[in-house]
Amino acid sequence: MNLVEIRGLSKKFGNNVVLDNVDLDIKKGEVVAIIGPSGTGKSTLLRCLNLLEKPEAGSVKFNDKTFNLTTKNKKEKLELRQHTEMVFQQFNLFKNKDALSNVMEGLTVVKKIPKEEARKKALEEIEKVGMSDRLYHYPKHLSGGQQQRVAIARALALEPELLLMDEPTSALDPELVNEVLLTIKRVAKEGNTILLVTHEMNFVKSVANRIIFLENGKIVADGTPKEIFENPTNERLKTFLSNINMLESADNYII
Ligand SMILES: Nc1ncnc2c1ncn2[C@@H]1O[C@H](COP(=O)(O)OP(=O)(O)OP(=O)(O)O)[C@@H](O)[C@H]1O
Ligand SMILES: [Mg+2]
């Protein structure tokens, strides 16, 4: 059964059509990676689901309830926002709060959970991302990888049905990428449903059940990693992948 059903999602910036009537179904526990050229609407798709952008049209159904993504109704917006959490490229932690308070914030403020209970839940999630020894550190005293792990704990503490991740490792120094990728792998293994944008193709191969290739605001390929990487049928996908391979081989040549 589908956990999420996105229908007719369209978004323009001025005359620039960024998402063109996108439909997408996601099953519970699926890890769906969105790949595609720069500027093709990957971030916009995630942002529309979390109401960070307002599309021209579109709806999303979670379980049995359908939400209009263009709604102006505050109550409906609040309810919809509780179905998803976003992990951003730039971590977006509260700078004036330590790691523990960052994870507790949504629990106490949004979910109105009593402080002691929120603290317990936050400690559990922080433990899972291996950050228990940094509870009282402020973001500026954490590495990028550590900040991102706290951001992942913060998102998971709110138990979203769908976790949205937009290039969660691309702002990190190369030596910090792995710790975050391992954390995401663990989160995926635990059965969380994830919609992830990333340029890390090897990671995509090892973590995603399904890959979507987005180009010019349309899903032009949708398949398993094997189908997408080993047997691409779409010409534009083939070109995209061969460009990546060309870059990889150029790197190898220089080394
Ligand atoms: N707030 C905005 N105002 C105007 N145009 C925007 C805005 N946000 C995005 N765009 C445009 O929408 C298009 C899609 O942008 P988006 O950020 O979704 O692409 P992307 O696929 O995530 O690219 P990248 O791989 O570089 O992150 C681009 O042409 C971009 O310039
Ligand atoms: Mg983007």
Side-chain angles (χ1 to χ4, degrees):
M1 205 184 87
N2 293 325
L3 172 74
V4 185
E5 291 181 4
I6 300 166
R7 290 291 175 272
L9 179 54
S10 293
K11 171 71 186 168
K12 287 193 280 192
F13 289 107
N15 292 330
N16 183 7
V17 177
V18 176
L19 296 172
D20 187 5
N21 204 13
V22 170
D23 293 340
L24 175 62
D25 292 347
I26 301 172
K27 292 193 170 61
K28 194 169 164 52
E30 249 184 344
V31 179
V32 180
I34 307 178
I35 61 171
S38 181
T40 202
K42 304 182 298 295
S43 297
T44 305
L45 199 163
L46 297 194
R47 292 171 63 81
C48 285
L49 291 178
N50 206 15
L51 300 179
L52 292 169
E53 297 288 354
K54 191 172 173 197
E56 274 68 52
S59 67
V60 60
K61 186 170 154 191
F62 279 97
N63 298 314
D64 284 334
K65 181 141 189 199
T66 303
F67 297 88
N68 188 336
L69 289 166
T70 62
T71 185
K72 290 197 174 96
N73 183 312
K74 273 196 179 149
K75 201 168 152 250
E76 203 180 350
K77 281 184 175 179
L78 261 180
E79 197 186 330
L80 171 57
R81 281 209 182 100
Q82 301 217 5
H83 288 274
T84 62
E85 284 301 323
M86 180 93 131
V87 171
F88 298 88
Q89 189 175 359
Q90 298 292 346
F91 334 129
N92 292 12
L93 293 177
F94 301 112
K95 291 188 173 48
N96 59 344
K97 290 186 188 296
D98 61 25
L100 178 60
S101 306
N102 259 285
V103 181
M104 283 175 65
E105 177 83 5
L107 293 167
T108 52
V109 175
V110 181
K111 295 230 158 164
K112 314 269 186 238
I113 291 174
K115 221 167 166 188
E116 263 325 295
E117 203 182 314
R119 186 182 155 89
K120 193 165 163 267
K121 174 77 177 157
L123 289 173
E124 278 170 25
E125 295 299 333
I126 291 172
E127 161 101 60
K128 287 194 209 158
V129 298
M131 288 293 295
S132 298
D133 56 347
R134 297 282 190 283
L135 293 179
Y136 304 110
H137 282 55
Y138 284 79
K140 71 174 174 196
H141 295 134
L142 296 171
S143 72
Q146 291 171 338
Q147 288 184 58
Q148 193 59 302
R149 280 149 60 201
V150 172
I152 291 169
R154 179 176 65 174
L156 288 176
L158 296 166
E159 299 181 353
E161 277 168 289
L162 178 65
L163 184 62
L164 305 170
M165 296 184 145
D166 191 1
E167 300 196 37
T169 62
S170 64
L172 299 173
D173 291 337
E175 74 271 21
L176 302 179
V177 168
N178 234 14
E179 67 183 58
V180 174
L181 291 184
L182 285 173
T183 303
I184 297 171
K185 243 183 170 168
R186 190 193 48 69
V187 169
K189 263 204 185 131
E190 278 182 353
N192 290 291
T193 313
I194 304 176
L195 184 58
L196 166 89
V197 173
T198 181
H199 291 285
E200 304 263 347
M201 292 301 149
N202 286 323
F203 175 62
V204 164
K205 281 182 195 170
S206 68
V207 77
N209 317 110
R210 198 172 139 206
I211 298 172
I212 279 164
F213 176 63
L214 193 69
E215 203 197 49
N216 295 335
K218 280 188 185 298
I219 294 174
V220 295
D222 181 346
T224 63
K226 212 174 157 68
E227 285 163 349
I228 295 286
F229 289 109
E230 288 176 23
N231 193 19
T233 49
N234 182 282
E235 283 309 315
R236 287 180 298 186
L237 171 61
K238 272 189 206 167
T239 310
F240 175 74
L241 293 175
S242 71
N243 283 339
I244 293 170
N245 288 337
M246 274 161 66
L247 287 176
E248 278 175 2
S249 56
D251 278 345
N252 290 338
Y253 182 71
I254 291 161
I255 290 162

